[in-house]
Amino acid sequence: MGLAVAGCGSDPQWRQSAHETSSHAEDEAVPSDLSIGARFVEEPAARGVAALGSIEELSPRLRRVLDPSAFEPLPPPREGSWRGLVREPSQSFSEFVGSRPNVPDQFRDTLVLLPLGSFPTELLVERDHVVLVQSPRLEVMRELAVRFFGLPVDVVTPLPIEQFELPLREHGGHDQYDALGVLDGVEAVLPDHAYSMTVLINHDLFVTEDQDHGFGYATHEERLAVMSFARFEPQFSGEWRAPDERERIPRRGLKVLVHEIAHTFGLRHCDYYACIMNGMADREEVDATPLHLCPVCLRKLMSSVGFDPVVRYEQLEALYAELEMEEERAWVHQRVAEITAE
């Protein structure tokens, strides 16, 4: 059964032409009965606690940082959601450590953003379609990545996408770039000092031939990711644009940006708590996904980067306040209050 799955994909094994045998999440079989709750026999909270591992040996402050009760478990997946369509293995904290993921070091300590096209707006003219694609401002994406991951971030001066002669297809009246081909095409320009590089494009993406479209794709080992802003705009798909879309569109871009960068640290999709690492199959799922890491995924990132979680939250709160992202600001403010309470 072929998948017409949107959303993002990732895999530590890149396609065969680049590295080793391809094994993408989008290629996994779909349950024939679509019994989307069957994989969640255990209570999500119990699964999350087990995936987090023992935190008793940690300091009282870190135990509060990773307190599972402060995070919302995932409900059973709805039909058509990422978890309802794609079967992929979970990843506990111990499994993450056992995978021996890449970590930043003194030689590779910078996250690089490579914009291909015009930002924060680009007019796409495709056959019968003329759509204005909107992204967050590059300086906002940079600042969010700095504070979210605790590493320096370099933004390359935007380059024309045509410069790279990347493979594409025509699908549904749109020119879609092959996400894996994009990574092939830019691999040679990955800077030596980069921990990872994320390519930003405004054109549509696909990962597998039977996929309708994708938001992004990232590797777990090769330090490369790509994301598209095209599908965050409903009019790109010929849909009606609701009055609140103007605010939602940039927020969608920020969420998927963080999600794809996190994949380059070796974090797989999360199915324990409401978390930015949840798989996202459509705009509805992107909108419902919070812009924060659950305790399992936060512990993974902390083990690789080693930031102070309270300072990180405080820096994120200041940015969210500046961007008038009240829901995100209120969440991190509450976490700081809970962690620092005597």
Side-chain angles (χ1 to χ4, degrees), residues 247-279:
E247 175 186 348
R248 288 173 179 244
I249 290 171
R251 184 181 265 104
R252 291 167 183 157
L254 294 176
K255 289 180 178 182
V256 175
L257 173 70
V258 166
H259 179 104
E260 300 302 345
I261 293 175
H263 274 316
T264 69
F265 286 86
L267 277 69
R268 294 180 179 269
H269 286 143
C270 176
D271 60 2
Y272 304 114
Y273 298 89
C275 174
I276 192 58
M277 295 313 296
N278 298 151

Side-chain angles (χ1 to χ4, degrees), residues 206-221:
F206 75 99
V207 180
T208 61
E209 289 295 335
D210 55 356
Q211 186 188 42
D212 183 64
H213 66 274
F215 296 137
Y217 185 86
T219 66
H220 293 153
E221 297 177 0

Side-chain angles (χ1 to χ4, degrees), residues 157-177:
T157 301
L159 299 171
I161 196 168
E162 297 79 12
Q163 175 177 325
F164 288 87
E165 299 182 355
L166 303 173
L168 51 78
R169 73 176 183 184
E170 188 278 329
H171 180 76
H174 296 293
D175 291 328
Q176 294 185 321
Y177 282 91

Side-chain angles (χ1 to χ4, degrees), residues 34-65:
L34 284 178
S35 53
I36 58 179
R39 294 175 54 228
F40 297 85
V41 177
E42 298 178 78
E43 286 292 325
R47 294 179 65 250
V49 169
L52 178 62
S54 174
I55 59 174
E56 292 305 311
E57 73 281 6
L58 302 180
S59 68
R61 188 169 185 256
L62 281 180
R63 290 201 297 271
R64 291 194 293 272
V65 168

Side-chain angles (χ1 to χ4, degrees), residues 216-236:
Y217 185 86
T219 66
H220 293 153
E221 297 177 0
E222 288 81 7
R223 302 180 294 126
L224 289 169
V226 58
M227 67 164 293
S228 164
F229 297 93
R231 294 281 175 167
F232 303 143
E233 167 57 71
Q235 292 179 339
F236 186 88

